[in-house]
Amino acid sequence: MIAHVVGVACAVSLASVLPILPLYVVDAGYPRSFVGVMNLVHNVTQLLARPVGGALTDAYGPRRLAPFGALGYALSDLLVLVPHPVTLLASRVSLGLGMGALWPPLLSTVADSGRSLGVFNAVTQLPMVLAPPLGGYLYRSVGPWAFAVLALPALLAVPLAGSLPDVRTSREKISPLEVLKKSLEVDREIFLASFPAFATAAVQPTIESFVPLLLKKLGADPAQIGLVLAVRNAVAVTLQAPCGWLADRYSPTVLAALGCVLAALGVLVLPFVKSVPVAVVLLCVGGVGYSLAQPSSLKLVAEVSGERRGLGMGWWGSIMSLGRLTGSLPGLLADVSLSAVFYISGAIPLASVLPLLRRPR
């Protein structure tokens, strides 16, 4: 229960900011490509931090690490209040470090089955439904001070995160150097099991940062943009638990491949959209794909990682971050062609289907 509450609180601080941050950055006078740079910095940081966080979880237990993760979330929102390039990029570094310190501990405490992982994803991703409209409304009402208000849930989660169960796979004393070495250990099975997360995560930076700009071109205001993202996320969130149940009973690999196809379609067609309702439908299709792939991938990782559960979950998150990093690169072309960003992002999960189906089941 504690893991769920901490995850929800930090997710509120993150999800409420996602639809307004690109608008804030562009309104501050920065080019759209700088939004892509911020995504890049964030994803590089969490890619490097998550395996270390997983190894630290196995060595010292979730309760010693997770509070630092929640603090990283809060600082990421507060740093945005100063619209300087250094502080804006520092906010993304703080968020990446926070993710690396928070999610491996939380996931390791609930990784007993595909169903429990699906339920955890559903609960902790519920803010993706409710928080974007909140962020849009606050930004429209109080401007940049919205970021200070939205940092509060993560700040309140810091002491609660210190109450997580003290579960460790090793009771031996391990030096920080040994922990770092362990964090670099990843085998082929963990990598392949994490690959669906890579594929479907690749479209997330485009959805979070450039769908708001596309919707703005279609005439939506910040609150409406937040509502559209909330509808898309509602589909993904409500299907997480049943998709985890499906992963316990059917081939997680096949389910993940189907999820990649749907995630790709939900992005590739967006440049041709002329109205907000049609965009909502396509985004919901992509949400179904995401909800199929993520629990299936988590179940595969839990199965193959064994006693290295924290490390496995850390690498899963890192490989997912690699997908987000890869998906952030098209954003650098936003000043040249916004449509190209959607085409390239959607092509990544589509190209991943064949390698996924070739994985032994």
Side-chain angles (χ1 to χ4, degrees), residues 16-35:
S16 53
V17 166
L18 290 179
I20 63 175
L21 184 59
L23 305 176
Y24 172 71
V25 171
V26 172
D27 288 345
Y30 295 96
R32 292 180 298 185
S33 57
F34 188 70
V35 177

Side-chain angles (χ1 to χ4, degrees), residues 199-200 203 258-270 285-286 289 342-343 345-351 353:
T200 50
V203 302
L258 176 60
C260 287
V261 173
L262 296 178
L265 291 177
V267 175
L268 284 170
V269 188
L270 280 175
V285 169
F342 292 97
Y343 297 147
S345 298
I348 296 171
L350 195 61
V353 173

Side-chain angles (χ1 to χ4, degrees), residues 19-20 23 132-133 135-137 139-140 220-227:
I20 63 175
L23 305 176
Y137 174 79
Y139 186 63
R140 187 175 65 180
D221 66 26
Q224 291 170 333
I225 291 170
L227 182 60

Side-chain angles (χ1 to χ4, degrees), residues 148-240:
V149 176
L150 298 172
L152 292 176
L155 280 174
L156 295 174
V158 172
L160 185 60
S163 302
L164 285 168
D166 187 20
V167 179
R168 287 180 279 175
T169 59
S170 174
R171 292 291 171 179
E172 300 178 0
K173 291 185 178 180
I174 303 177
S175 70
L177 183 59
E178 288 181 272
V179 171
L180 181 60
K181 289 181 179 178
K182 285 181 176 294
S183 72
L184 300 176
E185 297 175 359
V186 60
D187 58 34
R188 184 172 179 270
E189 287 188 344
I190 290 178
F191 179 84
L192 291 176
S194 303
F195 195 63
F198 167 90
T200 50
V203 302
Q204 292 301 109
T206 295
I207 292 172
E208 295 166 359
S209 297
F210 296 106
V211 164
L213 298 179
L214 177 67
L215 293 174
K216 184 178 180 181
K217 288 178 60 178
L218 295 176
D221 66 26
Q224 291 170 333
I225 291 170
L227 182 60
V228 169
L229 293 181
V231 171
R232 180 264 178 189
N233 293 333
V235 173
V237 168
T238 56
L239 291 180
Q240 287 281 324

